[in-house]
């Protein structure tokens, strides 16, 4: 197919690009399952079940500037992010989701054949963006508790290594990387990305060391703690020379006016949002116990807003399918490293209750 017509002009390395298995939009299930779209319980993308701050909704409803391009320099937003993070705004760059910063960093550092160290299993978008720039992935396996094997990681560094990727808490495992391990990696001097998408659920961060370590870059998102996944807004904290070049290479208006406004209102209303984070974290711990009590799921301890479970009886894909038919969306994995696993985002108490009831029903037939 690719050899004919316009297809033959596509970059050869992208012809077999696998894409990303994105989470399901509930509306795509309309008519396919008996549960109405508005009753679907969505626990497959680590979104915030409580939504955004009411102040965000109000500000967006009242906003009158949609016809004007956003500030490409993100001055006001970066000032608020400075207050929120304690990191001077010169080090901060915002993006359309933190995904976009991963993309930009790949383009900044990786040419064909350059090596990127990825600690698997981890966030699938890392591999996605390495593939897009035709980088070479050097996989370092996490240990049986999904901790990064720092010794193995350091051994994997070669003269071609241009970037090291670390997510803490890690998605989909929920594992924290201890600060001393991150420092040991930073000692290598190789540009290192610490992805803190779930920072607000842990309070542990490397942000205060940005600028002090010339190779430390930290990214975060408003998708999880602030409930802004649909608006696409994230940000990163970088050494000055990296922040400056990112500001130049990013698409000028990458963060739209609604997203900028929503992020500013979110940091202004952080007490409200952090109250919800606390509720989600407590609910995660309840859910962990309930999942364990099924007897056929083995949940792994998580510090984020989701729980990874090994499926001990039956197939993860079948369980995911049955849950979907019952109107509950979760994520399943079947890879060499995550055989028969489910990743379940923490919902509201009533949603988690419905999930457990559904799992118990499924469990009777296993
Ligand atoms: C570890 C990690 N990094 C980044 C992201 C992407 O977040 P965003 O919505 O800001 O692109 C996610 C989302 O699931 C994630 O789990």
């Amino acid at each position: 197919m690719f050899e004919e017509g316009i297809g033959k002009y596509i970059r050869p390395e992208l012809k077999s690009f696998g894409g990303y298995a994105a989470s399901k939009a509930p509306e795509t299930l309309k008519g396919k399952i008996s549960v109405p779209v508005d009753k679907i319980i969505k626990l497959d993308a680590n979104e915030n079940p409580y939504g955004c701050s009411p102040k965000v909704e109000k500000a967006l409803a009242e906003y009158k500037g949609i016809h004007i391009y956003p500030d490409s320099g993100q001055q006001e937003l970066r000032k608020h992010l400075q207050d929120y993070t304690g990191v001077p705004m010169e080090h901060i760059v915002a993006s359309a989701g933190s995904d976009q910063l991963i993309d930009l960093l790949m383009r900044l550092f990786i040419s064909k054949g350059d090596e990127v160290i990825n600690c698997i299993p981890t966030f699938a978008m890392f591999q996605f963006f390495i593939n897009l720039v035709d980088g070479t992935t050097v996989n370092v396996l996490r240990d049986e508790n999904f901790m990064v094997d720092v010794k193995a990681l350091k051994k994997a560094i070669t003269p071609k290594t241009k970037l090291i990727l670390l997510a803490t808490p890690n998605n989909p495992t929920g594992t924290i990387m201890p600060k001393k391990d991150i420092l040991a990696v930073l000692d290598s001097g190789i540009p290192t990305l610490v992805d803190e998408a779930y920072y607000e659920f842990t309070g542990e961060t490397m942000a205060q060391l940005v600028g002090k370590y010339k190779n430390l870059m930290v990214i975060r998102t408003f998708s999880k703690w602030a409930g802004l996944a649909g608006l696409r807004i994230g940000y990163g904290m970088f050494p000055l020379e990296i922040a400056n070049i990112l500001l130049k290479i990013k698409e000028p208006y990458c963060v739209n006016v609604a997203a900028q406004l929503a992020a500013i209102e979110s940091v202004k209303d952080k007490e409200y949002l952090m109250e919800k984070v606390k509720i989600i974290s407590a609910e995660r711990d309840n859910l962990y116990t309930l999942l364990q009590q099924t007897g056929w799921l083995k949940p792994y301890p998580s510090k984020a807003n989701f729980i990874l479970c090994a499926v001990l009886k039956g197939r993860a894909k079948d369980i995911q399918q049955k849950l979907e038919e019952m109107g509950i969306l979760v994520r399943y994995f079947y890879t060499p490293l995550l055989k028969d696993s489910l990743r379940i985002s923490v919902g509201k108490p009533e949603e988690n209750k419905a999930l457990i009831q559904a799992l118990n029903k499924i469990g009777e037939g296993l």
Side-chain angles (χ1 to χ4, degrees):
M1 176 180 86
F2 282 124
E3 299 318 315
E4 294 161 22
I6 199 168
K8 69 182 179 204
Y9 295 95
I10 293 173
R11 282 164 53 201
E13 65 274 17
L14 289 186
K15 288 184 180 176
S16 57
F17 191 68
Y20 179 71
S23 64
K24 237 173 220 164
E27 60 269 28
T28 62
L29 291 172
K30 194 174 174 183
K32 293 189 184 144
I33 59 172
S34 58
V35 180
V37 171
D38 62 342
K39 292 279 182 301
I40 289 175
I41 298 176
K42 195 169 181 310
L43 306 177
D44 63 344
N46 307 338
E47 290 140 332
N48 189 323
Y50 294 100
C52 65
S53 151
K55 292 192 176 150
V56 168
E57 283 179 347
K58 185 169 183 289
L60 288 177
E62 290 170 359
Y63 187 66
K64 295 280 184 273
I66 282 173
H67 57 301
I68 302 294
Y69 283 111
D71 168 20
S72 68
Q74 312 166 339
Q75 291 291 322
E76 202 190 338
L77 172 63
R78 289 163 69 219
K79 247 182 246 156
H80 280 90
L81 289 172
Q82 165 178 290
D83 295 343
Y84 179 65
T85 60
V87 173
M89 64 181 280
E90 294 73 26
H91 292 271
I92 300 175
V93 181
S95 56
S98 52
D99 276 348
Q100 191 173 56
L101 279 168
I102 304 169
D103 182 19
L104 285 171
L105 291 170
M106 291 295 167
R107 297 194 212 196
L108 188 60
F109 289 111
I110 308 303
S111 303
K112 184 177 167 69
D114 286 340
E115 292 177 0
V116 183
I117 295 185
N118 201 23
C119 304
I120 55 169
T122 191
F123 185 41
M125 289 300 287
F126 289 160
Q127 185 63 63
F128 175 100
F129 287 122
I130 297 170
N131 290 347
L132 266 189
V133 294
D134 208 13
T136 299
T137 309
V138 176
N139 283 322
V140 174
L141 244 71
R142 288 167 181 265
D143 71 11
E144 66 281 9
N145 298 315
F146 298 124
M147 300 295 279
V148 171
D149 183 341
V150 176
K151 243 191 197 164
L153 187 156
K154 287 192 133 178
K155 254 180 139 172
I157 294 172
T158 77
K160 287 187 179 167
T161 309
K162 295 281 162 61
L163 188 59
I164 298 171
L165 303 173
L166 306 171
T168 180
N170 185 44
N171 177 9
T173 61
T175 333
I176 288 271
M177 184 165 179
K179 191 172 174 180
K180 70 167 179 26
D181 286 356
I182 301 175
L183 292 176
V185 174
L186 286 173
D187 276 344
S188 68
I190 307 286
T192 299
L193 176 64
V194 179
D195 182 339
E196 295 183 354
Y198 303 92
Y199 153 68
E200 282 77 7
F201 295 89
T202 70
E204 285 184 32
T205 179
M206 298 299 286
Q208 272 57 52
L209 295 179
V210 167
K212 298 187 179 80
Y213 279 81
K214 297 283 170 261
N215 54 334
L216 170 63
M217 303 174 284
V218 177
I219 59 170
R220 293 190 189 156
T221 180
F222 279 81
S223 296
K224 315 299 177 180
W225 74 287
L228 299 184
L231 274 182
R232 313 301 301 124
I233 173 136
Y235 64 98
M237 296 158 279
F238 307 94
L240 271 187
E241 57 182 320
I242 300 300
N244 286 337
I245 193 158
L246 285 174
L247 284 170
K248 283 187 202 153
I249 69 168
K250 74 175 178 55
E251 190 263 303
Y253 308 121
C254 61
V255 185
N256 67 63
V257 287
Q260 294 208 20
L261 182 64
I264 291 169
E265 290 301 316
S266 297
V267 293
K268 282 200 218 157
D269 203 17
K270 68 176 178 200
E271 283 76 20
Y272 169 90
L273 290 167
M274 287 309 289
E275 222 15 75
K276 298 288 187 238
V277 164
K278 239 200 233 162
I279 293 170
I280 294 168
S281 303
E283 202 42 40
R284 173 197 62 216
D285 297 341
N286 289 338
L287 184 60
Y288 177 90
T289 308
L290 295 171
L291 289 167
Q292 210 166 30
Q293 283 169 359
T294 61
W296 54 276
L297 289 172
K298 181 189 163 206
Y300 293 96
S302 168
K303 294 286 183 198
N305 64 342
F306 56 83
I307 299 176
L308 182 75
C309 303
V311 175
L312 305 178
K313 235 195 216 173
R315 306 286 304 268
K317 187 175 189 311
D318 298 339
I319 314 285
Q320 180 267 336
Q321 194 57 40
K322 282 186 184 138
L323 283 172
E324 183 175 303
E325 283 157 18
M326 295 159 99
I328 301 175
L329 308 184
V330 300
R331 190 95 169 185
Y332 86 91
F333 296 90
Y334 189 82
T335 64
L337 295 176
L338 290 176
K339 286 212 178 72
D340 276 318
S341 306
L342 295 174
R343 192 198 64 198
I344 301 169
S345 311
V346 179
K348 290 179 176 171
E350 61 272 25
E351 294 174 325
N352 301 331
K353 196 171 155 200
L355 166 81
I356 293 294
Q357 276 170 355
L359 285 171
N360 286 337
K361 205 160 169 208
I362 293 167
E364 286 165 16
L366 292 174

